[in-house]
Amino acid sequence: MIGFFDSGFGGLQTMKDFQERYPQYNYMFLADSKNCPFGAKDGETIKQLTFDGIQRLFDHGAKIVILACNTAAAYAVRSRQTQYPEKKVLSITIPGVEKILTEEHNERKIGILATQATILSNIYTDLFHKFGGKNNPDFQFIMAPKLVELVESGETNEEEIEFIVQEHINKFHNIDTLILGCTHFPILIEHIKKFFTGDIIDPSKEAAIQFGNYLERHLEIKDQLTSGGQTTYYTTWSPEIFSTIGSRIAEKQITAQLIE
């Protein structure tokens, strides 16, 4: 099974991107809804919550885990790989950074919409330099906790959603490219496009594109993945609420189970 971990609903969209490309595999999703949002927490707390969630997924049969949360990845993925090298954990953040290093984006003014914790971690700037980006990237960062709240609350009032989305997009100045630095934000993509007409990079989609190549390079993992197209959903809070809002995001009926 391929496991996905997020603090809430955003990772459902990430998993959907993977499922559309690799429908043959079985999937498992865990949302730590009890502790959502992660974005306002300190780094050590985020790391511990993420480690706990990843371990639960491995305990339930996952052979590889995708961190479908930029905030979790920012504080946990590198230390997790160091402490537990035998367990494969991938971050969706890296493919997003690799995309902005391509020729079409490398010289552009780039806006990054993310949580407070992700921005304070400097993960995007650090990875940009690590992979060979220029010394002074023209990045603009905007913290967007209200957008996370919109998704987590299951808000459906179109006027309210568009007012808050526009409020955040208008904070950027003359950017050419927008990175959706939180997996909750692609769920609002159609609203975002109404107020931003430049290029939009969704790290989750980039990660899904690259995942096939990763499996071909790591046949020891690919050979362990089970097939059948089945998905299991877990949440650390209310299964009823998660199932209701999650079904709308997943665009199909889902039933979540409580995991302590």
Side-chain angles (χ1 to χ4, degrees), residues 71-128:
T71 302
Y75 291 91
V77 69
R78 285 172 287 191
S79 54
R80 173 77 194 193
Q81 290 170 339
T82 300
Q83 294 182 39
Y84 306 96
E86 74 285 359
K87 300 290 188 181
K88 297 301 179 183
V89 180
L90 300 182
S91 160
I92 57 103
T93 308
I94 291 175
V97 173
E98 291 176 335
K99 182 68 174 178
I100 62 177
L101 284 166
T102 61
E103 183 176 348
E104 60 184 305
H105 293 105
N106 197 24
E107 297 299 324
R108 293 191 174 190
K109 294 181 179 179
I110 295 172
I112 300 175
L113 199 62
T115 68
Q116 172 180 304
T118 296
I119 292 172
L120 293 178
S121 75
N122 291 317
I123 187 69
Y124 274 95
T125 304
D126 290 349
L127 289 174
F128 185 82

Side-chain angles (χ1 to χ4, degrees), residues 208-243:
I209 291 169
Q210 293 188 20
F211 187 62
N213 291 331
Y214 177 87
L215 289 181
E216 292 306 316
R217 297 195 307 271
H218 296 275
L219 295 178
E220 75 282 3
I221 295 176
K222 183 179 180 181
D223 292 343
Q224 295 182 66
L225 299 180
T226 55
S227 300
Q230 302 300 309
T231 306
T232 306
Y233 301 88
Y234 295 103
T235 177
T236 58
W237 188 47
S238 166
E240 294 77 19
I241 293 176
F242 190 89
S243 299

Side-chain angles (χ1 to χ4, degrees), residues 14-74:
T14 304
M15 186 169 69
K16 185 160 58 172
D17 290 334
F18 278 71
Q19 289 172 318
E20 288 175 354
R21 287 182 171 273
Y22 317 102
Q24 69 272 32
Y25 296 122
N26 291 329
Y27 291 83
M28 184 189 310
F29 184 85
L30 170 57
D32 190 4
S33 305
K34 181 179 179 180
N35 293 297
C36 185
F38 280 11
K41 292 179 168 55
D42 66 89
E44 192 58 37
T45 299
I46 294 168
K47 183 170 75 171
Q48 191 57 57
L49 291 172
T50 303
F51 275 27
D52 290 347
I54 291 171
Q55 190 58 53
R56 288 190 182 101
L57 287 166
F58 282 124
D59 289 345
H60 281 72
K63 301 304 179 184
I64 185 170
V65 171
I66 311 299
L67 278 185
C69 174
N70 286 269
T71 302

